């Protein structure tokens, strides 16, 4: 995640980049699509660990910029159809939301 100010300019040092260790091996077609390999995620944290860190990161950015975390907009490649529903489903499954 990269945090942008209200003008769309990235806020310095406001990046969150983490892999999540999957519960199964990454199939070759996913590696081909994303370039993410099983070696890349070998030492990654669990979804619960990374999601908790992400939420803390977002809250800290809101606090530092005198904003409200509820006003943040998540932007992704396929947010409406996949990213947000997938993320929310895992938050609830891990008792984070």
């Amino acid at each position: 995640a990269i945090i942008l100010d209200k003008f769309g300019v990235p806020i310095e040092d406001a990046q969150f980049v983490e892999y999540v260790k999957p519960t199964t091996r990454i199939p070759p077609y996913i590696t081909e699509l994303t370039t993410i390999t099983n070696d890349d995620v070998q030492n990654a944290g669990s979804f619960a660990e990374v999601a908790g860190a992400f939420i803390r990161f977002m809250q800290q950015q809101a606090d530092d910029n005198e904003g409200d975390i509820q006003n943040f907009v998540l932007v992704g490649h396929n947010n409406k159809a996949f990213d947000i529903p997938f993320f929310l489903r895992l938050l609830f499954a891990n008792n984070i939301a």
Side-chain angles (χ1 to χ4, degrees), residues 10-63:
I11 296 173
E12 188 175 334
D13 298 325
Q15 292 188 29
F16 185 89
V17 180
E18 281 291 327
Y19 286 123
V20 173
K21 187 170 190 166
T23 56
T24 60
R25 293 192 54 77
I26 299 172
Y29 75 94
I30 295 295
T31 295
E32 187 175 324
L33 178 69
T34 66
T35 72
I36 299 169
T37 68
N38 287 297
D39 288 341
D40 292 334
V41 298
Q42 180 178 350
N43 297 315
S46 69
F47 176 81
E49 293 167 333
V50 175
F54 177 70
I55 291 168
R56 287 189 299 278
F57 167 79
M58 295 296 287
Q59 185 61 62
Q60 185 64 53
Q61 294 304 313
D63 293 347

